[in-house]
Each structure stands twice: as structure tokens, then as C-alpha cells.
Amino acid sequence: MATELEELVGFLSSPSPPVKKAAVEIVRDLTGSEDGSLSLSKYASTVLPSLSQLLKGKKEVSEPAAEALINLSLNSNLAAKMVEMGMIKTAMDVLYKPDSSIARLLVMLLVNLTQLDSGIVSLLQIEDDKMQGLFVTKLVRSFCRSSDETRDDPFDHVGSILVNISKKEAGRKMLLDSKRGLLKQVLRQFDSTSPLRKKGVSGTLRNCCFEAENQLQNLLLISEFLWPALLLPVAGKKIYSEQETSKMPLELGSALSIEREPWDDPEFRVEALESIYLIIVQEAGLRAFWSVNGPRILQDGYEDEEDPKAMEAYERVGSLLVHGSGTEGPSSTSETSK
């Protein structure tokens, strides 16, 4: 005889809209607790396909279905099953339907699923030569087109997806591919007013800089966006003269010649400095850094810095500048790295 939970899961595919709606709302509420999620996980082979199917329905069922899947995807075993059954393709298909009303929830589901290697492979479409990169290109385009001025921007969390996929070499290579131009588009969001977007851009750039040894040329090809994204967070408060900014990329020089909002979160400064470090370890990267007056900017930023972790990151970059050029930079007191 079927248990109550089995009956409830069965009702998710009921032909009666009111029954289906009531069932998915109860399931959604159950996934809000650890015990509820654990109980439902025993019926994963039924509940996950049913919820996936409901994503394609009207908002009254698709919204609680998406919320339930987000909660269930916090369990890595269930997340792996979702990826295996093609949940990423389903989420992307529904996300880009013209009448999609649950975009924000679907993006959050993709954030959770790309915590897994299998989820990253699925989103990158690595195993499909013809479609490879299509999903990522769509997400980057939406991330860059949507306005962060709206309080509930559905694509804000795409930055977190980009951080996840850039943790893997295949993801970094896709973002750095000069023909696709994806990282260039992403970097244009670095001065967003949304902390979530800023965090996504900063983390993605830092991860991509781990490819500096093999992809330095592609990074330097987007210098006009790269150096502002890396140097503005660590430039301190100083307002630079026209003579001092004359050799800098236009966007960097313009921003440094006026009073600007401080980057309050030291994590941004630490990530920017780690990215700079990864670039200037390479000889050509170090030359490019000197060419935009990078060491001087760092020196001024270091003088304004108060956060111990950020100061340590400045000093670590400074040690490379001293050893690499014989010219003074912030002195190094630490050789630790992540």
C-alpha cells in the first residue's frame, strides 16, 4: 500500500490542475527542511522528473517546482541526479522561453548545479561540438544586457555561475577565447552597483587569471577592460593628474582622474591583487603592468589600505615588482599563497 508521501509525489503528475498545484506547494514546503528533503530523496526517481516537468507549466506550479528543485539541489547526490537527467538543458530551455516568469529561480538552480563538475560539463556542452558554449554565451549576454538598477534583476546570479565554471580549465578557456569575447563582455560589468554582480565579475576574472601562463595574450588583448577592473579596486583615494594618466587606458585614466566611490569590501581588493600577481608572474604581463603605471597605482593604494589581508596581498605583488625590476614597490613581508 502506498505511503502518504508516495501518494503526494504521485499527485505531482495529476491531470487535475488544483491537485497538482496543492501537491507541488506541499512538496516545496517539505524541501524547506532537512528532514523533508531527506524523506523526498527516497523518491528521487519520481519526484525529480515530475518537478522538472512542472517547470514548463504555468507560474502557479512552475514557481514552487523551481523553489523545490533549488532546495533539493543543495544535496550533492540529488544535484548529481538532476544533472544526469538533463536538468540543465531543461532549465535553460525554460529560462529562454519568451514568456518565462521564473528566470531568477532558474538561474539560482543553475548556480547550485554548477557546483558539481558534471554540472559544469553539462552547461559548457563540452560533449556536443556543434552546441558547445551556446548556453554560456546566452547567459553572459543576459548578464550584460539586464539592468542591475532594477531591484530584482533575474540575471544577477549569473556572476556566480561564471565563477563556478571558471574554476575548471575548460570553463576558463571558453571565457578567454578571443573569438567568443565572453570575458570582455563580463568585465564591462565590474563597476556595477550590484555587489552580487561585482563579486561575480571579480571572482571570474581571478579564476581566469590562473590561465595567464598559457592565455596571457588573450588577457592582454582586452587590456582596456582588464586594467580598470584590476586596478580601480586597489587604487586608493588619490586623484591623478592628466600627466599621470596619459599613458593609461582611457577608461582607467578617466576613472582615476576624478573622485570615486571606495571599494568597501576588502575581498574585492584581495581578489584583484591575486589576479595581478598571476599576470605579472609572466614577463610579458609584468611589462604590460608597468606600461599602465600599475606599480605607482598600487603604491598609492597600499598607503590607504587598512585591512591586514589586503595589505598582505599588496606586499606579495610588491615583492614581484621589486624582484622583477629592481624598482621599489610595497615591500614583501609574506610569501604565502592560496
Side-chain angles (χ1 to χ4, degrees):
M1 191 173 170
T3 64
E4 282 185 19
L5 201 53
E6 275 180 299
E7 286 186 346
L8 173 64
V9 169
F11 288 145
L12 290 173
S13 48
S14 166
S16 163
V19 171
K20 195 185 291 184
K21 180 177 181 291
V24 73
E25 286 174 353
I26 295 169
V27 167
R28 185 262 320 274
D29 294 343
L30 278 172
T31 64
S33 74
E34 202 172 323
D35 287 346
S37 289
L38 194 61
S39 300
L40 285 167
S41 69
K42 294 169 188 171
Y43 303 98
S45 59
T46 308
V47 76
L48 295 180
S50 297
L51 290 171
S52 176
Q53 196 60 35
L54 290 176
L55 290 177
K56 302 167 188 174
K58 292 179 180 176
K59 189 177 181 182
E60 61 182 21
V61 292
S62 64
E63 187 170 77
E67 289 166 345
L69 287 166
I70 289 167
N71 291 338
L72 291 170
S73 65
L74 294 171
N75 175 315
S76 58
N77 290 330
L78 292 179
K81 285 178 181 174
M82 290 184 203
V83 172
E84 198 178 311
M85 60 178 275
M87 189 70 76
I88 283 181
K89 184 180 186 308
T90 300
M92 287 296 296
D93 288 347
V94 177
L95 179 59
Y96 286 98
K97 273 170 60 179
D99 56 347
S100 178
S101 57
I102 53 167
R104 187 175 187 82
L105 294 171
L106 292 170
V107 171
M108 289 170 72
L109 177 60
L110 290 170
V111 173
N112 289 355
L113 296 181
T114 52
Q115 302 274 359
L116 302 177
D117 286 356
S118 60
I120 293 172
V121 168
S122 179
L123 188 71
L124 296 177
Q125 299 164 285
I126 285 172
E127 289 157 6
D128 187 339
D129 288 342
K130 289 182 181 176
M131 305 296 281
Q132 195 174 113
L134 180 63
F135 288 165
V136 175
T137 300
K138 280 184 168 185
L139 288 170
V140 167
R141 193 178 298 143
S142 298
F143 182 61
C144 297
R145 277 186 186 164
S146 61
S147 168
D148 63 305
E149 301 305 318
T150 58
R151 191 173 289 176
D152 192 33
D153 177 5
F155 291 99
D156 250 0
H157 285 276
V158 169
S160 303
I161 297 172
L162 298 175
V163 171
N164 288 346
I165 66 169
S166 61
K167 287 175 183 172
K168 304 299 291 180
E169 184 183 4
R172 294 193 291 271
K173 284 185 172 177
M174 186 174 287
L175 290 168
L176 282 162
D177 183 346
S178 59
K179 289 178 184 172
R180 295 181 192 271
L182 297 176
L183 186 61
K184 179 178 176 179
Q185 293 174 57
V186 172
L187 289 184
R188 288 174 171 170
Q189 297 291 310
F190 89 96
D191 59 353
S192 165
T193 56
S194 160
L196 191 58
R197 278 172 173 265
K198 275 179 158 173
K199 196 174 173 66
V201 174
S202 176
T204 301
L205 177 54
R206 176 186 170 274
N207 288 346
C208 284
C209 285
F210 278 99
E211 291 296 313
E213 186 177 353
N214 303 312
Q215 298 263 4
L216 184 64
Q217 193 58 40
N218 282 340
L219 278 165
L220 296 181
L221 275 174
I222 53 172
S223 286
E224 62 191 297
F225 304 103
L226 176 73
W227 295 124
L230 292 179
L231 286 168
L232 287 177
V234 296
K237 302 167 190 167
K238 179 181 170 179
I239 298 171
Y240 286 74
S241 68
E242 193 176 328
Q243 186 181 353
E244 288 171 314
T245 60
S246 60
K247 287 185 179 177
M248 297 178 190
L250 183 61
E251 193 170 335
L252 176 62
S254 301
L256 289 174
S257 62
I258 56 172
E259 199 171 324
R260 52 199 177 272
E261 288 288 314
W263 292 66
D264 293 328
D265 187 344
E267 188 183 334
F268 287 121
R269 300 196 290 282
V270 171
E271 284 194 337
L273 289 160
E274 288 174 346
S275 301
I276 291 169
Y277 184 92
L278 291 165
I279 288 172
I280 67 173
V281 164
Q282 309 302 320
E283 194 178 331
L286 183 60
R287 283 198 304 271
F289 189 63
W290 277 95
S291 75
V292 296
N293 216 358
R296 172 65 192 278
I297 295 168
L298 283 198
Q299 187 72 54
D300 292 330
Y302 180 70
E303 287 169 9
D304 291 335
E305 188 55 69
E306 295 175 355
D307 181 81
K309 272 193 171 179
M311 289 178 81
E312 187 179 305
Y314 274 104
E315 289 160 7
R316 191 160 172 258
V317 173
S319 71
L320 279 187
L321 296 173
V322 171
H323 299 147
S325 65
T327 308
E328 284 192 18
S331 60
S332 172
T333 60
S334 171
E335 292 298 323
T336 58
S337 63
K338 279 196 172 182

